[in-house]
Amino acid sequence: MAKYIFVTGGVVSSLGKGIISASIGKLLQARGYSITIQKYDPYINIDPGTLNPYEHGECYVTVDGMETDLDLGHYERFTGIRTTRRNSVTTGRIYKTVIDRERRGDYLGKTIQVVPHITDEIKRRMLREEEDFDFVITEIGGTIGDIESAPFLEAIRQLRWELGRNAVNVHLTYVPYLKAADELKTKPTQHSVKEMQGMGIQPDVLVLRTEKHLSDNIRRKVASFCNVDLECVVQSEDMPSIYEVPVSMQSQGLDAAILRRFGIPVGEKPSMSSWHNFLDLQRRSLREVHVGLVGKYDLQDAYKSIRESLILAGIYNEVKVKIHFINSEEINDGTVADKLAGMAGVIICPGFGGRGIEGKIAAARYTRTHDIPTFGICLGMQMMVIEFARDVLGYTDANSREMDASTPHNVIDIMEDQKNIVDMGGTMRLGAYECALSPGSRVAAIYGQPLVSERHRHRYEFNNSYQNEYEAHGMKCTGRNPESGLVEIVEIPANKWYIGTQFHPEYASTVLAPHPLFMDFIKIIK
């Protein structure tokens, strides 16, 4: 029978539950266990696909086409697992399932209530009984005390009783430092645990998020007042890198403490040599290379997977990538040289809507004509295509049908089967699709294989009716979906590195297996 680990958070949000969940998963994998990690978000949206990145950071996409929370990116980068729609659940999806069943008459006329109907559906999804995992790690979004989280916590309370020793709660809290008093305060943690106890849940393990090192006396105090074994009180200090966290957790025995709570023999500490080798390489990678991210969201979480993919590729190329956000709304032909000054390479970022696209087009024009290595992703690739049509093919009014429905030169057009869709959420080309690479192309050499699979999140595509013109003038279509014929990759072989992908390669980059496109991009600019 699978063992279940529920990760909750208290005091404040943004403490790093996703990083702790991913670290626990990594440590259990190192011991030879099979794991999966799932995120339960309390908001009523069906998924974060329609949320503004300023609201929720980037929207991550699973291989089977589910738009999810960015924490699933942490899960995949740390553990190498491939998540699916089963790994991301929202209150909206829970309620929609229950309401749809009620409309069909499945409940035989009963009054539908939060308990038991909503909580039963939450429990059903949490258990993953039809799948074969040693451990199922479930992170609950938000903070204890949020009214939206109450049904999830009630479901956990019930499962704790039903599963007995096969369920453990890891509770992440905050220990603030008061500079004026020169003291670390444990009272917020005590109140958070008390609130959990008031809901019928006794935390088994406490992870104390802190900016200052906690003494053993503080840990003993927390253990005593919160009814938790001392070995089950660990601290999560600020680290130079999030990738140090699993090693820190292992050194404090977090994985061993969890196994003991399950009654599982701990055995010897497992080797994490490949992870340590990665961290050693990271510490030695001191020479800086500067990369500009041209986008419209001035929030680092909006491009989280791209940032992490660049950092990982830099480490394996033994350089430290310094990322500079460049607001595309502030770029035009007059300012582009100053905005991109000092950048060894440029990423033209994905996104939706017309805001900031002219700045992306100006950046693409400048980097193409000045032979600055450039990587366009999704909308970024489309802006490279539009710029080329305007400046090389001579179609000065070229545009995407998304931005200008009346353009006579729609070099980027909507897919035929998307034209009558009204709903915004979950109706794009989503998830993994195959891409056949042109023999002799740069991307074929980078991947080292003729056929790859990459994840998508878009509605508009390269207009194939213009392909011959593009290729005759030097922009080659070197990646194509073998089933639909849709263009997936464009590149200009004459330039040092000028590649655009319709897909999102950043979703597939992990700590121990960085994506080859990012690796080659950094290799060429370092």
Side-chain angles (χ1 to χ4, degrees):
M1 182 177 181
K3 311 294 183 184
Y4 293 87
I5 301 170
F6 300 104
V7 180
T8 55
V11 185
V12 294
S13 60
S14 301
L15 293 180
K17 293 192 301 296
I19 301 296
I20 292 299
S21 299
S23 297
I24 292 171
K26 183 65 193 176
L27 295 179
L28 292 173
Q29 280 183 326
R31 291 179 176 273
Y33 296 109
S34 63
I35 63 104
T36 192
I37 315 179
Q38 51 193 4
K39 176 73 180 289
Y40 279 64
D41 272 307
Y43 50 77
I44 299 176
N45 303 65
I46 296 296
D47 57 54
T50 56
L51 289 175
N52 189 308
Y54 286 121
E55 289 275 335
H56 211 68
E58 79 167 1
C59 177
Y60 193 79
V61 178
T62 62
V63 289
D64 62 343
M66 185 70 189
E67 295 172 290
T68 72
D69 181 80
L70 62 81
D71 274 326
L72 271 73
H74 292 312
Y75 304 163
E76 292 202 14
R77 280 189 290 274
F78 275 59
T79 67
I81 64 172
R82 286 291 173 256
T83 56
T84 69
R85 61 185 61 248
R86 293 293 307 275
N87 294 76
S88 178
V89 179
T90 66
T91 292
R93 286 181 70 192
I94 297 291
Y95 270 81
K96 186 176 187 304
T97 299
V98 172
I99 290 169
D100 286 347
R101 286 178 181 163
E102 184 273 332
R103 292 289 82 188
R104 291 195 304 266
D106 293 358
Y107 295 110
L108 304 177
K110 288 187 177 296
T111 301
I112 309 306
Q113 297 174 287
V114 173
V115 181
H117 301 97
I118 296 298
T119 51
D120 281 353
E121 178 60 20
I122 293 171
K123 287 158 58 181
R124 184 186 71 79
R125 289 175 181 254
M126 284 181 171
L127 287 176
R128 310 286 289 264
E129 290 179 320
E130 72 280 13
E131 298 173 85
D132 187 20
F133 297 109
D134 296 321
F135 289 91
V136 177
I137 303 165
T138 303
E139 176 193 348
I140 306 299
T143 306
I144 299 308
D146 295 344
I147 192 168
E148 299 94 339
S149 300
F152 294 114
L153 295 172
E154 171 59 18
I156 291 173
R157 184 196 68 77
Q158 293 179 26
L159 285 174
R160 292 289 301 276
W161 282 101
E162 294 169 17
L163 295 170
R165 291 201 69 177
N166 289 318
V168 162
N169 172 233
V170 177
H171 190 53
L172 181 63
T173 74
Y174 181 50
V175 178
Y177 171 72
L178 297 184
K179 186 176 180 182
D182 190 27
E183 280 186 292
L184 288 154
K185 294 295 185 179
T186 64
K187 194 62 71 178
T189 292
Q190 296 175 46
H191 280 297
S192 181
V193 171
K194 185 177 181 181
E195 190 156 5
M196 288 283 286
Q197 292 168 337
M199 294 177 174
I201 303 170
Q202 168 62 51
D204 299 284
V205 178
L206 293 177
V207 179
L208 309 180
R209 187 75 175 84
T210 175
E211 296 159 51
K212 297 272 189 177
H213 184 76
L214 304 180
S215 68
D216 287 344
N217 285 337
I218 289 177
R219 290 178 54 245
R220 288 191 191 95
K221 181 179 179 181
V222 169
S224 175
F225 282 110
C226 297
N227 300 332
V228 176
D229 292 338
L230 179 60
E231 73 157 357
C232 294
V233 180
V234 302
Q235 57 184 310
S236 178
E237 293 182 77
D238 284 353
M239 293 283 171
S241 161
I242 59 172
Y243 303 114
E244 304 267 2
V245 175
V247 173
S248 173
M249 294 299 104
Q250 186 186 50
S251 68
Q252 296 180 72
L254 175 60
D255 53 332
I258 290 172
L259 291 177
R260 289 191 187 97
R261 296 300 300 177
F262 281 119
I264 298 173
V266 173
E268 295 183 4
K269 182 185 293 187
S271 170
M272 291 182 62
S273 57
S274 56
W275 199 274
H276 283 284
N277 291 339
F278 165 78
L279 293 178
D280 290 341
L281 192 59
Q282 182 179 34
R283 296 180 191 111
R284 297 199 305 269
S285 301
L286 301 176
R287 184 170 65 82
E288 294 182 348
V289 294
H290 298 267
V291 174
L293 255 61
V294 177
K296 64 179 179 180
Y297 300 114
D298 192 3
L299 177 77
Q300 73 173 20
D301 275 358
Y303 306 110
K304 187 66 176 175
S305 291
I306 292 175
R307 287 176 171 272
E308 295 305 317
S309 296
L310 287 168
I311 290 168
L312 295 175
I315 291 167
Y316 283 99
N317 277 287
E318 299 188 47
V319 293
K320 184 177 183 179
V321 177
K322 296 290 289 185
I323 299 170
H324 304 263
F325 175 76
I326 302 167
N327 194 322
S328 59
E329 292 188 273
E330 299 173 0
I331 299 178
N332 54 50
D333 289 334
T335 63
V336 64
D338 288 338
K339 294 291 185 182
L340 300 184
M343 297 300 111
V346 170
I347 304 285
I348 303 180
C349 292
F352 290 91
R355 183 166 62 88
I357 66 163
E358 292 300 329
K360 292 182 179 181
I361 291 170
R365 180 183 302 114
Y366 185 83
T367 59
R368 178 180 61 81
T369 56
H370 289 77
D371 202 11
I372 298 171
T374 306
F375 192 174
I377 299 174
C378 200
L379 183 67
M381 171 265 207
Q382 295 177 1
M383 297 304 103
M384 295 163 76
V385 167
I386 292 170
E387 185 281 321
F388 196 87
R390 291 180 182 181
D391 277 33
V392 179
L393 303 185
Y395 300 132
T396 56
D397 54 0
N399 214 323
S400 166
R401 192 75 80 184
E402 178 184 8
M403 316 306 172
D404 181 2
S406 62
T407 177
H409 294 104
N410 51 322
V411 293
I412 302 296
D413 203 0
I414 194 166
M415 293 183 287
E416 196 62 35
D417 60 357
Q418 294 278 328
K419 287 184 177 178
N420 297 318
I421 287 177
V422 177
D423 287 347
M424 292 289 290
T427 57
M428 295 175 284
R429 189 175 177 218
L430 290 163
Y433 289 84
E434 287 188 333
C435 175
L437 307 175
S438 300
S441 63
R442 177 163 200 128
V443 289
I446 291 170
Y447 278 103
Q449 58 191 80
L451 188 68
V452 296
S453 178
E454 296 282 6
R455 294 180 229 184
H456 294 248
R457 183 181 181 241
H458 62 98
R459 185 172 283 111
Y460 293 79
E461 303 278 358
F462 180 93
N463 188 337
N464 284 351
S465 62
Y466 289 91
Q467 180 183 343
N468 291 339
E469 287 184 77
Y470 274 91
E471 299 213 328
H473 288 82
M475 178 175 275
K476 306 298 183 181
C477 300
T478 54
R480 187 181 295 277
N481 178 259
E483 183 178 337
S484 65
L486 294 171
V487 171
E488 305 276 21
I489 306 174
V490 298
E491 63 178 82
I492 299 180
N495 281 40
K496 189 184 299 180
W497 211 100
Y498 197 84
I499 296 173
T501 65
Q502 185 61 80
F503 51 78
H504 289 262
E506 68 272 20
Y507 295 149
S509 206
T510 69
V511 172
L512 300 181
H515 195 283
L517 285 174
F518 284 96
M519 285 289 289
D520 198 67
F521 177 71
I522 297 299
K523 180 181 177 181
I524 207 73
I525 68 175
K526 71 175 186 176

Short mmCIF file of all heavy atoms in Angstrom, two decimals, residues 429 432-437 451-452 454 456 461 464 479-489:
data_model
loop_
_atom_site.label_atom_id
_atom_site.label_comp_id
_atom_site.label_asym_id
_atom_site.label_seq_id
_atom_site.Cartn_x
_atom_site.Cartn_y
_atom_site.Cartn_z
N ARG A 429 -3.63 24.38 -28.28
CA ARG A 429 -2.83 23.20 -28.56
C ARG A 429 -1.94 23.00 -27.33
O ARG A 429 -1.00 23.74 -27.10
CB ARG A 429 -2.00 23.43 -29.82
CG ARG A 429 -1.29 22.19 -30.34
CD ARG A 429 -0.59 22.50 -31.64
NE ARG A 429 0.15 21.35 -32.13
CZ ARG A 429 1.33 21.44 -32.74
NH1 ARG A 429 1.91 22.61 -32.91
NH2 ARG A 429 1.94 20.36 -33.16
N ALA A 432 2.29 17.52 -25.08
CA ALA A 432 3.42 17.05 -25.89
C ALA A 432 2.97 16.62 -27.29
O ALA A 432 1.98 15.91 -27.44
CB ALA A 432 4.11 15.89 -25.19
N TYR A 433 3.72 17.09 -28.29
CA TYR A 433 3.53 16.69 -29.67
C TYR A 433 4.89 16.36 -30.27
O TYR A 433 5.91 16.94 -29.88
CB TYR A 433 2.88 17.81 -30.50
CG TYR A 433 1.44 18.07 -30.18
CD1 TYR A 433 1.08 18.90 -29.12
CD2 TYR A 433 0.42 17.49 -30.94
CE1 TYR A 433 -0.26 19.14 -28.82
CE2 TYR A 433 -0.92 17.74 -30.65
CZ TYR A 433 -1.24 18.57 -29.60
OH TYR A 433 -2.57 18.80 -29.30
N GLU A 434 4.89 15.46 -31.25
CA GLU A 434 6.14 15.08 -31.89
C GLU A 434 6.61 16.16 -32.86
O GLU A 434 5.80 16.89 -33.44
CB GLU A 434 5.99 13.75 -32.63
CG GLU A 434 5.90 12.55 -31.70
CD GLU A 434 5.95 11.24 -32.46
OE1 GLU A 434 5.54 11.22 -33.66
OE2 GLU A 434 6.40 10.23 -31.89
N CYS A 435 7.92 16.22 -33.02
CA CYS A 435 8.53 17.17 -33.95
C CYS A 435 9.64 16.44 -34.70
O CYS A 435 10.59 15.94 -34.10
CB CYS A 435 9.10 18.37 -33.19
SG CYS A 435 9.99 19.55 -34.21
N ALA A 436 9.48 16.38 -36.04
CA ALA A 436 10.51 15.77 -36.90
C ALA A 436 11.49 16.85 -37.33
O ALA A 436 11.09 17.92 -37.80
CB ALA A 436 9.85 15.13 -38.12
N LEU A 437 12.78 16.58 -37.15
CA LEU A 437 13.83 17.57 -37.41
C LEU A 437 14.44 17.36 -38.78
O LEU A 437 14.68 16.21 -39.21
CB LEU A 437 14.91 17.48 -36.33
CG LEU A 437 14.40 17.56 -34.88
CD1 LEU A 437 15.54 17.35 -33.90
CD2 LEU A 437 13.71 18.90 -34.62
N LEU A 451 13.69 12.68 -34.31
CA LEU A 451 12.32 12.89 -33.85
C LEU A 451 12.32 13.16 -32.35
O LEU A 451 12.91 12.40 -31.58
CB LEU A 451 11.47 11.66 -34.17
CG LEU A 451 9.96 11.79 -33.92
CD1 LEU A 451 9.33 12.76 -34.90
CD2 LEU A 451 9.28 10.42 -34.03
N VAL A 452 11.68 14.25 -31.94
CA VAL A 452 11.60 14.60 -30.52
C VAL A 452 10.14 14.88 -30.16
O VAL A 452 9.28 15.00 -31.03
CB VAL A 452 12.48 15.84 -30.20
CG1 VAL A 452 13.94 15.52 -30.45
CG2 VAL A 452 12.04 17.06 -30.99
N GLU A 454 7.89 17.56 -27.65
CA GLU A 454 7.96 18.76 -26.82
C GLU A 454 6.55 19.26 -26.49
O GLU A 454 5.59 18.98 -27.20
CB GLU A 454 8.75 19.87 -27.55
CG GLU A 454 10.20 19.53 -27.82
CD GLU A 454 11.11 19.69 -26.60
OE1 GLU A 454 10.58 19.95 -25.50
OE2 GLU A 454 12.34 19.56 -26.74
N HIS A 456 3.50 22.02 -25.75
CA HIS A 456 2.96 23.22 -26.39
C HIS A 456 1.94 23.91 -25.50
O HIS A 456 1.29 23.28 -24.67
CB HIS A 456 2.28 22.85 -27.72
CG HIS A 456 3.22 22.32 -28.75
ND1 HIS A 456 3.53 23.01 -29.89
CD2 HIS A 456 3.94 21.17 -28.82
CE1 HIS A 456 4.38 22.32 -30.63
NE2 HIS A 456 4.64 21.19 -29.99
N GLU A 461 -0.37 29.55 -35.23
CA GLU A 461 0.69 28.76 -35.86
C GLU A 461 1.34 29.51 -37.03
O GLU A 461 0.75 30.45 -37.58
CB GLU A 461 0.11 27.45 -36.42
CG GLU A 461 -0.60 26.56 -35.42
CD GLU A 461 0.34 25.70 -34.61
OE1 GLU A 461 1.57 25.76 -34.86
OE2 GLU A 461 -0.13 24.95 -33.73
N ASN A 464 1.76 27.99 -43.23
CA ASN A 464 2.57 27.20 -44.16
C ASN A 464 2.56 27.72 -45.59
O ASN A 464 3.45 27.37 -46.39
CB ASN A 464 2.11 25.75 -44.15
CG ASN A 464 2.58 25.01 -42.91
OD1 ASN A 464 3.39 25.52 -42.13
ND2 ASN A 464 2.07 23.81 -42.70
N GLY A 479 11.80 22.17 -38.14
CA GLY A 479 11.08 21.24 -37.27
C GLY A 479 9.61 21.26 -37.65
O GLY A 479 9.03 22.33 -37.86
N ARG A 480 9.01 20.10 -37.74
CA ARG A 480 7.63 20.03 -38.21
C ARG A 480 6.93 18.85 -37.54
O ARG A 480 7.52 17.79 -37.35
CB ARG A 480 7.63 19.85 -39.73
CG ARG A 480 6.26 19.93 -40.40
CD ARG A 480 6.39 19.70 -41.90
NE ARG A 480 7.14 20.76 -42.53
CZ ARG A 480 6.63 21.93 -42.92
NH1 ARG A 480 5.36 22.17 -42.71
NH2 ARG A 480 7.37 22.83 -43.50
N ASN A 481 5.67 19.06 -37.15
CA ASN A 481 4.89 17.96 -36.61
C ASN A 481 4.56 16.99 -37.74
O ASN A 481 3.97 17.38 -38.74
CB ASN A 481 3.60 18.48 -35.97
CG ASN A 481 2.74 17.36 -35.43
OD1 ASN A 481 1.76 16.97 -36.06
ND2 ASN A 481 3.08 16.83 -34.28
N PRO A 482 4.96 15.72 -37.61
CA PRO A 482 4.80 14.77 -38.72
C PRO A 482 3.34 14.46 -39.05
O PRO A 482 3.03 14.06 -40.17
CB PRO A 482 5.54 13.52 -38.22
CG PRO A 482 5.60 13.65 -36.75
CD PRO A 482 5.65 15.11 -36.46
N GLU A 483 2.45 14.65 -38.11
CA GLU A 483 1.05 14.32 -38.34
C GLU A 483 0.29 15.47 -39.01
O GLU A 483 -0.43 15.27 -39.99
CB GLU A 483 0.37 13.95 -37.02
CG GLU A 483 -1.08 13.51 -37.16
CD GLU A 483 -1.70 13.10 -35.84
OE1 GLU A 483 -0.93 12.73 -34.92
OE2 GLU A 483 -2.93 13.14 -35.73
N SER A 484 0.47 16.69 -38.49
CA SER A 484 -0.29 17.83 -38.98
C SER A 484 0.45 18.66 -40.02
O SER A 484 -0.16 19.43 -40.76
CB SER A 484 -0.68 18.74 -37.82
OG SER A 484 0.49 19.30 -37.23
N GLY A 485 1.78 18.52 -40.06
CA GLY A 485 2.59 19.35 -40.96
C GLY A 485 2.85 20.74 -40.42
O GLY A 485 3.47 21.57 -41.10
N LEU A 486 2.40 21.04 -39.20
CA LEU A 486 2.61 22.36 -38.62
C LEU A 486 4.09 22.59 -38.32
O LEU A 486 4.79 21.68 -37.87
CB LEU A 486 1.80 22.50 -37.33
CG LEU A 486 0.27 22.49 -37.51
CD1 LEU A 486 -0.41 22.41 -36.15
CD2 LEU A 486 -0.20 23.73 -38.27
N VAL A 487 4.54 23.82 -38.57
CA VAL A 487 5.94 24.17 -38.34
C VAL A 487 6.18 24.34 -36.84
O VAL A 487 5.45 25.07 -36.15
CB VAL A 487 6.33 25.46 -39.10
CG1 VAL A 487 7.72 25.94 -38.68
CG2 VAL A 487 6.28 25.21 -40.61
N GLU A 488 7.20 23.67 -36.34
CA GLU A 488 7.53 23.72 -34.91
C GLU A 488 8.79 24.55 -34.63
O GLU A 488 8.93 25.10 -33.55
CB GLU A 488 7.77 22.30 -34.39
CG GLU A 488 6.63 21.33 -34.63
CD GLU A 488 5.56 21.41 -33.55
OE1 GLU A 488 5.50 22.46 -32.88
OE2 GLU A 488 4.81 20.45 -33.41
N ILE A 489 9.72 24.58 -35.59
CA ILE A 489 11.00 25.26 -35.38
C ILE A 489 11.38 26.03 -36.64
O ILE A 489 11.23 25.53 -37.75
CB ILE A 489 12.13 24.25 -35.06
CG1 ILE A 489 11.77 23.35 -33.88
CG2 ILE A 489 13.44 24.98 -34.78
CD1 ILE A 489 12.78 22.24 -33.61
#
